[in-house]
Amino acid sequence: MEVAQRIKGLESAIFNEMEHYKKQVEARGVKVINLGVGSPDRPPAPHIIAALHRAIDNPVNYRYPLEGLPALHQALARWYRRRFGVELDPDHEVLVLMGSQDGLAHIALAYINPGDVALVPDPGYPIYACSILLAGGEIYPMPLLAENNFLPDLSVIPGEVARKARLMWLNYPNNPVAVSANREFFEQVVDFARHYDILVCHDVAYAELAYDGFKPMSFLEVPGAKEVGIEFYSLSKTYNMAGCRIGFAVGNRDVLAALARIKSNIDYGVFRAVQEAGIAALEGPQDCVEETARTYQRRRDVLVDGLARYGWHMPKPNASMFVWAPLPAGYTSSRQFALDLLERAGVLVIPGLAFGAMGEGYVRMALVQEEELLAEAVERIGRAFSFR
């Protein structure tokens, strides 16, 4: 039986290929250091796990949850006020999700008809493009270039394209390019979206993984942002709750109502025990958040500074859990370099091409191993390659 046309472009051949070659290398007895998938490797703080334990013992929590707990809505609204100075109506401007990926994947179903245009960053996190394809829409790529600080240049989007566009994806701090956006850029986005009647969907999942005193901002901090868009936030990275699957969409109440309508026909909500753990995370001690950020900063320094000593230089990100590394001299194919790195050093990274055509010339490295393993990865790469 032939599958539907919409799913044929969803799987990334490069991701599958890297996993295939990883198994081949491991079959030779090599312990591969995996810097590919951006999955947090640390556990939640003890007070979060304790809250989950208590909630699991409550038999009431095993009913269909249907919607977010009011206390969780209120906790997230208070967190946004403390962190970003953004006021949210907990009853109408907060929607609980099964991880932010849940909302990222489904929002296009509420706003994209077949043939509608969406503005999608290139390179970008794959679900942005996938969500549009699943809804039958057409993708207009917004190149993220080093000369523009990896921000899309809205001024080069043709007027006829902007007038057809229904939705724009943004993500800062960014995956995969590991840069952040400033207020001036977000102000331009609000003006652009208002002028062309475009829904802005901003993914701010990495806001708390920031270094050297830097504090990323929320898109919703800009006046008028709530009129044109929503923001997706997750507890996965901030509190190491990736496996719990809990996140939020916040902002424009009409957009959230449309997304909630889609979701009400798909699932029955987030397990209430996980929601109670989410309340504990948002309302409890925040020193665990600061320690997680310090951990990733140390890992960043081990990797970037270590590779620089061997002659492979790359920017130090001020946020996110990734390093976006330009290919060393002599390489033009990110796929070939990643395969060589895996074969010769036993280190797995993701070719930039996996994130879009404009990702060619880079590889993405995830800071998801302890410092000792990252130091070993640096040594392996330094022994296997000559960058000078």
Side-chain angles (χ1 to χ4, degrees):
M1 301 176 86
E2 186 174 358
V3 298
Q5 191 68 32
R6 70 174 62 88
I7 77 166
K8 291 184 178 180
L10 294 188
E11 289 188 350
S12 169
I14 295 178
F15 281 98
N16 292 341
E17 184 179 27
M18 294 307 298
E19 182 62 25
H20 170 73
Y21 281 108
K22 171 178 170 285
K23 291 178 180 178
Q24 287 190 346
V25 171
E26 289 177 330
R28 301 202 307 264
V30 177
K31 181 180 178 182
V32 171
I33 300 177
N34 192 342
L35 308 183
V37 179
S39 178
D41 60 305
R42 295 170 64 84
H47 70 276
I48 299 173
I49 295 176
L52 185 59
H53 280 175
R54 291 193 298 272
I56 285 173
D57 288 336
N58 186 349
V60 173
N61 286 336
Y62 290 86
R63 302 170 184 172
Y64 285 128
L66 297 181
E67 58 186 15
L69 295 171
L72 180 57
H73 284 238
Q74 293 159 9
L76 192 278
R78 285 191 290 269
W79 187 90
Y80 250 76
R81 185 188 306 119
R82 291 194 308 268
R83 173 61 178 84
F84 298 120
V86 171
E87 295 291 337
L88 295 172
D89 177 348
D91 296 327
H92 301 102
E93 295 179 342
V94 175
L95 179 66
V96 178
L97 302 169
M98 292 180 172
S100 60
Q101 181 98 344
D102 173 15
L104 301 178
H106 292 127
I107 184 62
L109 295 177
Y111 284 92
I112 296 292
N113 291 311
D116 282 346
V117 173
L119 306 175
V120 179
D122 181 1
Y125 183 47
I127 192 60
Y128 307 144
C130 290
S131 70
I132 304 305
L133 295 175
L134 285 171
E138 297 180 4
I139 294 169
Y140 183 87
M142 299 187 296
L144 306 186
L145 306 176
E147 54 263 37
N148 295 330
N149 298 315
F150 295 105
L151 301 173
D153 186 350
L154 304 181
S155 68
V156 303
I157 299 174
E160 61 270 21
V161 172
R163 283 187 287 274
K164 292 179 182 178
R166 296 290 308 278
L167 186 151
M168 175 194 292
W169 280 112
L170 293 173
N171 166 219
Y172 293 100
N174 188 276
N175 173 15
V177 302
V179 299
S180 300
N182 57 25
R183 181 176 297 273
E184 179 183 3
F185 171 72
F186 283 139
E187 289 172 347
Q188 293 173 6
V189 169
V190 170
D191 291 341
F192 185 88
R194 185 184 288 120
H195 181 77
Y196 289 107
D197 192 24
I198 296 172
L199 168 62
V200 177
C201 295
H202 181 235
D203 180 359
V204 71
Y206 301 97
E208 301 311 285
L209 300 188
Y211 319 125
D212 306 313
F214 176 64
K215 284 289 187 182
M217 67 177 292
S218 163
F219 167 69
L220 297 180
E221 291 182 48
V222 175
K226 205 184 289 186
E227 299 169 16
V228 299
I230 61 172
E231 191 161 70
F232 294 93
Y233 177 66
S234 168
L235 303 191
S236 296
K237 312 302 189 298
T238 303
Y239 298 102
N240 295 311
M241 295 176 66
C244 293
R245 308 315 304 139
I246 183 165
F248 305 88
V250 301
N252 187 287
R253 64 177 59 200
D254 294 331
V255 175
L256 296 185
L259 177 55
R261 187 173 179 182
I262 291 288
K263 282 184 49 58
S264 70
N265 286 275
I266 294 174
D267 65 68
Y268 289 103
V270 176
F271 182 29
R272 285 183 56 159
V274 171
Q275 293 193 54
E276 292 191 19
I279 295 170
L282 293 164
E283 300 276 67
Q286 299 299 298
D287 54 330
C288 58
V289 178
E290 297 170 2
E291 175 54 32
T292 295
R294 286 192 294 268
T295 296
Y296 281 108
Q297 179 174 325
R298 290 192 299 268
R299 293 176 178 184
R300 176 205 65 176
D301 292 344
V302 167
L303 186 64
V304 175
D305 293 344
L307 291 173
R309 288 194 293 272
Y310 286 105
W312 186 13
H313 298 279
M314 58 202 65
K316 267 191 178 182
N318 61 6
S320 90
M321 61 193 302
F322 305 106
V323 173
W324 188 239
L327 298 183
Y331 280 93
T332 58
S333 166
S334 60
R335 173 188 173 276
Q336 188 58 56
F337 177 67
L339 290 175
D340 286 355
L341 202 62
L342 180 58
E343 179 71 24
R344 293 162 57 182
V347 177
L348 189 151
V349 301
I350 301 299
L353 193 60
F355 303 97
M358 302 309 297
E360 186 56 281
Y362 296 85
V363 292
R364 191 196 75 175
M365 298 185 282
L367 303 171
V368 293
Q369 302 290 351
E370 296 290 354
E371 294 169 49
E372 294 78 10
L373 269 182
L374 289 173
E376 181 181 341
V378 168
E379 290 181 11
R380 289 190 191 183
I381 294 170
R383 289 195 303 265
F385 293 84
S386 175
F387 300 117
R388 300 186 190 280

